[in-house]
Amino acid sequence: MKQAILLSFSLLLLLASTTLAISPAPAAAPKAAAKTPPTPKAAAPSPKQLVPTLPQSPDSPDSVPDDITRILKKAKMFSVLIRLLKTTEIMNNINSQLITAKSGGITILAPDDSAFSNLKAGFLNSLNEGQKIELVQFHLLPEFVSSSNFDSLSNPVQTVAGKDPARLPLNVNALGNSVNISTGVVNATVLGVVYSDNKLGIYHVDKVLLPLDFFVTNKAPALAPTAPTKVPKDAKDNSSEDDQEETNRDHNKSGAVSLVSLGGTKLMSLGIALVAVATMWS
């Protein structure tokens, strides 16, 4: 009896386990699709700087853009340029422009003291006041040019001195990391940035930019020689007769007697008188 009960219980357990194994498991709830985080946009590359910043360049926070003297003095190599800017009173004009101008700006191409020392001895002293002003203005561009924007300038470049390609040519050639400047007299290189913000750019150049009109004199073309005019023979004869008549009139006015003006009869009478006098004395 006990064996029958155990057998029946075993069969029930077997059937129950088989049913559980056969019945499908409940379907899992669908998982929400994971959101893919947006790909961050790559930052636009900043324009490549054509002119390197000098190690001794003043930092922008330490220098105010309306104090050109302080900026140049801190660089410790522009004493001659500072003196020229002051004596020509262009320094005051630049500072005033930077304070009042709301747009535009200015760019200074700054030769160092070594560049001025390489000039011919006595060159600066030989310049008059007008030429000194032109020399300084030739180093100023009436707009702000960033260190990465030299290759966008149109030649000849406008300077404060003017834009006359015959007198004041200034051509900029930016190639790779090199910026070269030609004036028709010298070829200079931009060595680095002394100072730069959105209104003022000061760049170190290795030579003084000499204007072409300091060395070229405009001479008027020589006139072609004029061929001598031939006078007709008749005109010569008439001219001789006119001259003779004019001479006779002058002699008559002065009381002088011209033998040429005497008639043939007067000459014969004079000759007979001379013969008679000679006979009397003989």
Side-chain angles (χ1 to χ4, degrees):
M1 183 72 178
K2 290 180 179 181
Q3 292 178 348
I5 293 172
L6 290 173
L7 181 61
S8 299
F9 184 73
S10 299
L11 289 173
L12 288 172
L13 290 176
L14 180 61
L15 288 172
S17 62
T18 303
T19 302
L20 291 174
I22 295 173
S23 61
K31 293 183 179 180
K35 292 183 178 181
T36 306
T39 304
K41 294 182 179 180
S46 58
K48 188 175 181 180
Q49 188 168 297
L50 295 176
V51 182
T53 302
L54 299 178
Q56 67 273 29
S57 299
D59 297 328
S60 296
D62 296 338
S63 303
V64 290
D66 59 337
D67 191 356
I68 308 297
T69 304
R70 182 181 175 186
I71 295 172
L72 293 175
K73 280 185 176 179
K74 192 169 183 180
K76 299 179 181 180
M77 55 179 169
F78 299 107
S79 59
V80 178
L81 179 61
I82 292 172
R83 185 172 70 250
L84 283 172
L85 286 168
K86 287 183 176 180
T87 56
T88 57
E89 299 184 356
I90 293 177
M91 181 80 76
N92 297 333
N93 296 336
I94 296 175
N95 288 335
S96 299
Q97 180 178 342
L98 291 174
I99 293 172
T100 58
K102 295 182 179 179
S103 62
I106 197 164
T107 300
I108 302 176
L109 304 172
D112 57 26
D113 295 337
S114 176
F116 280 101
S117 66
N118 289 331
L119 293 174
K120 184 179 178 181
F123 175 78
L124 288 180
N125 293 331
S126 68
L127 302 178
N128 58 39
E129 292 303 315
Q131 289 175 320
K132 288 180 181 179
I133 291 174
E134 182 179 304
L135 178 64
V136 176
Q137 290 177 336
F138 196 56
H139 290 76
L140 307 178
L141 309 184
E143 61 178 317
F144 169 71
V145 180
S146 68
S147 60
S148 59
N149 205 32
F150 276 95
D151 54 354
S152 67
L153 295 175
S154 299
N155 292 321
V157 178
Q158 172 79 46
T159 70
V160 176
K163 190 182 180 180
D164 186 345
R167 293 179 49 251
L168 303 166
L170 186 91
N171 297 302
V172 175
N173 181 26
L175 182 63
N177 291 331
S178 176
V179 178
N180 299 313
I181 302 173
S182 174
T183 71
V185 179
V186 297
N187 295 315
T189 300
V190 179
L191 299 179
V193 181
V194 179
Y195 179 89
S196 181
D197 58 20
N198 60 348
K199 292 172 63 177
L200 172 66
I202 304 178
Y203 300 96
H204 178 202
V205 295
D206 64 343
K207 293 180 182 177
V208 179
L209 305 178
L210 300 175
L212 181 61
D213 69 344
F214 279 14
F215 305 91
V216 176
T217 55
N218 295 324
K219 295 183 179 180
L223 297 177
T226 304
T229 304
K230 293 184 178 180
V231 180
K233 184 177 180 181
D234 295 342
K236 286 184 179 180
D237 295 341
N238 294 336
S239 177
S240 299
E241 292 176 1
D242 294 341
D243 292 342
Q244 184 62 50
E245 290 179 1
E246 184 176 354
T247 303
N248 293 339
R249 285 196 299 270
D250 292 341
H251 286 174
N252 291 335
K253 289 180 181 179
S254 62
V257 178
S258 174
L259 296 178
V260 178
S261 64
L262 296 176
T265 304
K266 292 182 179 180
L267 285 174
M268 184 179 294
S269 300
L270 182 59
I272 294 171
L274 290 175
V275 171
V277 172
T279 303
M280 292 175 59
W281 285 99
S282 60

